[in-house]
Structures are given as structure tokens and as C-alpha cells.
Amino acid sequence: MNYWLMKSEPYEFSIDDLKRVTTEPWSGVRNYLARNYLRQMAVGDKAFFYHSSCEEPGIVGIMTIAKAAYPDATAGLEAERWSSVDVRFEQKFSRAITLTELKKHAELANFTLLQRGNRLSIMPVSTEQWTFINGLA
DNA sequence: GCCAACGTTGGC
DNA sequence: GCCAACGTTGGC
């Protein structure tokens, strides 16, 4: 099983939205590296839900991959080029683990999310990073 | 609203 | 295939 982090702007789709609908297609990814990560996901993989472009960017909960990659219908004629997965709500943290807080921990110095200039909306998380961040929640 | 970073596009 | 221009992301 692998671990991931997936970003969403809460104004568009938040952890509370996911909790309400339980399962949702994660679509609209239009970056090849992020798409390749989507295609590597397997049912049962876990992912952090990250709120971006908002007052308090940070990790707000956990979801499970419920369906492996399939063509992204929101890409229209290019659906075959892009991919979606289905995600299922698992847990909302009692508090957000903010980006500011994540930056304070030396254990996360190599975390992709914190790398300068990183803009990927989907990225892998190591087992060590996953365990450490869970311990902060 | 600004700006750094970086991916994509398109002319050559 | 190079590279300048442009667009997007996302934190601040």
C-alpha cells in the first residue's frame, strides 16, 4: 500500500464536502507528473487531503483510494489522456495540520510538499512521513 | 494583488 | 530541438 497527498481548494471541494458525499471522483488533474501518480494509485492506498489556496493551507484529513485510475470525463475529447481516481472519506482530523506547522519539523525537511517551488497537486508520501504527520494530528 | 517557480506552447 | 513568451499554481 502506498501513501499520497492530494490538494484541493476548499472553496471548490473541501474535506467536509467529501465527508458529506462519502465517495467522489478526483478529476481535473492536467499535469503529467500528477497524472502519472494518479495512475500508480491502487485501491486501498491512503491519501492526505490538503486544503490549498485558502486562509490556512494544510492537511485536514485522510481518504482512501476507492477506484483505480480511469479516463477523466471532465477532459472531454482528451479523456483518455487524463485520469481520475475515486476517493472515499476516511477521517477528518480534529484540527488542521497547517503548512506553517509542517515546516517547523526537521523530520519533514525532505517532504515534497515543502520543497521550494513545488506546485504538484498530487505527490507521494513516504511511510515515515505518513506516520510522523499522523502523530501530529 | 504580487510574485516565484515552473510547465506548456509555438515560432524558428 | 531550442528557447522566449505565456499561463498556472499557490503561498504570502
Side-chain angles (χ1 to χ4, degrees), chain A residues 17-32:
Chain A
D17 293 327
L18 181 60
K19 185 175 184 179
R20 184 161 36 78
V21 300
T22 309
T23 303
E24 178 78 1
W26 199 276
S27 52
V29 172
R30 298 292 182 269
N31 170 283
Y32 285 105

Side-chain angles (χ1 to χ4, degrees), chain A residues 2-121:
Chain A
N2 289 306
Y3 300 107
W4 308 93
L5 180 143
M6 302 167 80
K7 297 180 183 176
S8 178
E9 303 190 6
Y11 307 111
E12 301 220 337
F13 187 72
S14 72
I15 186 84
D16 292 322
D17 293 327
L18 181 60
K19 185 175 184 179
R20 184 161 36 78
V21 300
T22 309
T23 303
E24 178 78 1
W26 199 276
S27 52
V29 172
R30 298 292 182 269
N31 170 283
Y32 285 105
L33 184 51
R35 180 207 67 179
N36 291 344
Y37 287 139
L38 279 177
R39 291 181 175 179
Q40 290 173 31
M41 293 179 180
V43 172
D45 280 4
K46 295 190 183 307
F48 285 131
F49 195 127
Y50 180 89
H51 282 174
S52 67
S53 293
C54 56
E55 287 177 22
E56 268 206 332
I59 296 170
V60 292
I62 293 174
M63 50 198 169
T64 307
I65 305 306
K67 183 180 177 184
Y70 57 92
D72 182 354
T74 70
L77 293 173
E78 296 198 315
E80 295 293 333
R81 179 187 305 268
W82 303 107
S83 296
S84 297
V85 299
D86 285 357
V87 296
R88 183 190 307 124
F89 176 81
E90 178 141 326
Q91 175 190 353
K92 180 183 177 182
F93 290 150
S94 54
R95 65 183 190 89
I97 307 168
T98 64
L99 181 60
T100 309
E101 180 177 354
L102 292 169
K103 286 177 178 172
K104 288 178 181 167
H105 296 285
E107 292 88 340
L108 299 176
N110 294 321
F111 192 21
T112 306
L113 180 73
L114 306 180
Q115 299 311 301
R116 190 180 137 109
N118 166 64
R119 295 178 309 157
L120 270 183
S121 63

Side-chain angles (χ1 to χ4, degrees), chain A residues 116-135:
Chain A
R116 190 180 137 109
N118 166 64
R119 295 178 309 157
L120 270 183
S121 63
I122 296 176
M123 66 193 75
V125 178
S126 75
T127 304
E128 292 76 17
Q129 290 160 351
W130 180 271
T131 304
F132 180 80
I133 293 167
N134 259 292

